[in-house]
């Protein structure tokens, strides 16, 4: 089996993303970058009229993990039926597993409160909302870093794009490559912007979510889904989908 190509090619970019995520986490653990986070959060608070708030809140639904997961699974099942292949289902299943066992544990481990934790429960002082490792807080109040909305959006829109193109081809149509690019890029950027603007995450939370999401997305797109070995009983449902003409 050969890994599928990604852009930019090579593992150097993956290493750069990982180093960036680790470096950002170390900097925050050392109480660095708090001034930047505070300045961005304060600016958003001072420039959030009602209309802009509701527009941002509606657009932020683009990053809801559960609906995105269901859409990804639904597309995988539909494509599996269309092609009579179990392979398309593997992609959203692995996507769910890899996001569940990375994003969630990182949130619990870093234990950072959101900017809004100073104006609603648990009503911390503004200075207390910034640091990582709030081990004295209940888990539900300390899951801001990294942004799950941003990381999930990158992973799941990547999954959706990878499934949608062959699904459209199975109906005798062609999905424009530019539209695939738009699906993969625009929603995550909208989610990153809105989740920071609404004060639901610090800027560095969103940046960490971006780094983690891109790393996971590249790993998923490297997997040779059409060549993975399957049990003998599934050989009648073994057609490729990423290379489906």
């Amino acid at each position: 089996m050969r890994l599928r190509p990604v852009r930019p090619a090579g593992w150097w970019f993956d290493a750069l993303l990982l180093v960036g995520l680790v470096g950002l986490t170390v900097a925050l653990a050392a109480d660095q970058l708090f001034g930047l986070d505070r300045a961005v959060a304060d600016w958003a608070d001072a420039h959030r009229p009602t209309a802009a708030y509701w527009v941002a809140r509606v657009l932020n639904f683009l990053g809801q993990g559960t609906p995105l997961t269901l859409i990804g699974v639904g597309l995988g099942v539909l494509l599996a039926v269309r092609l009579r292949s179990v392979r398309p289902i593997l992609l959203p299943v692995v996507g769910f597993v890899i996001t569940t066992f990375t994003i969630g544990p990182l949130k619990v481990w870093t234990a950072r409160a959101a900017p809004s934790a100073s104006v609603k429960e648990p009503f911390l002082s503004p200075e207390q909302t910034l640091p990582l490792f709030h081990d004295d807080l209940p888990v539900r109040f300390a899951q801001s870093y990294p942004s799950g909305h941003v990381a999930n959006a990158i992973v799941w829109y990547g999954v959706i794009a990878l499934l949608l193109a062959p699904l459209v081809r199975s109906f005798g149509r062609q999905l424009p490559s530019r539209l695939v690019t738009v699906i993969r890029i625009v929603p995550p950027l909208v989610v990153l912007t809105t989740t920071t603007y609404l004060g639901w995450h610090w800027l560095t939370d969103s940046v960490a979510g971006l780094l983690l999401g891109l790393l996971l997305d590249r790993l998923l797109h490297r997997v040779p889904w059409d060549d993975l070995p399957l049990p003998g009983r599934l050989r009648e449902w073994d057609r490729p989908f990423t290379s489906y003409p």
Side-chain angles (χ1 to χ4, degrees), residues 49 130 133 135-136 188 198 215:
L130 285 159
F133 309 121
D135 298 325
D136 55 332
L198 290 167
L215 180 60

Side-chain angles (χ1 to χ4, degrees), residues 32-113:
Q32 302 298 310
L33 303 176
F34 288 174
L36 175 63
D37 275 337
R38 185 78 267 168
V40 172
D42 289 344
W43 181 92
D45 286 340
H47 298 81
R48 196 185 298 129
T50 302
Y53 168 83
W54 283 108
V55 169
R57 183 158 185 172
V58 170
L59 291 175
N60 193 256
F61 281 110
L62 291 171
Q64 292 293 320
T66 299
L68 288 176
T69 302
L70 293 176
I71 292 171
V73 172
L75 289 175
V77 170
L78 180 58
L79 184 57
V81 173
R82 293 282 301 170
L83 299 183
R84 294 186 59 82
S85 173
V86 74
R87 293 187 180 277
I89 302 176
L90 300 178
L91 175 57
V93 169
V94 174
F96 175 78
V97 171
I98 199 172
T99 52
T100 299
F101 287 97
T102 53
I103 300 172
L106 273 174
K107 283 177 168 290
V108 173
W109 175 61
T110 54
R112 192 186 200 188

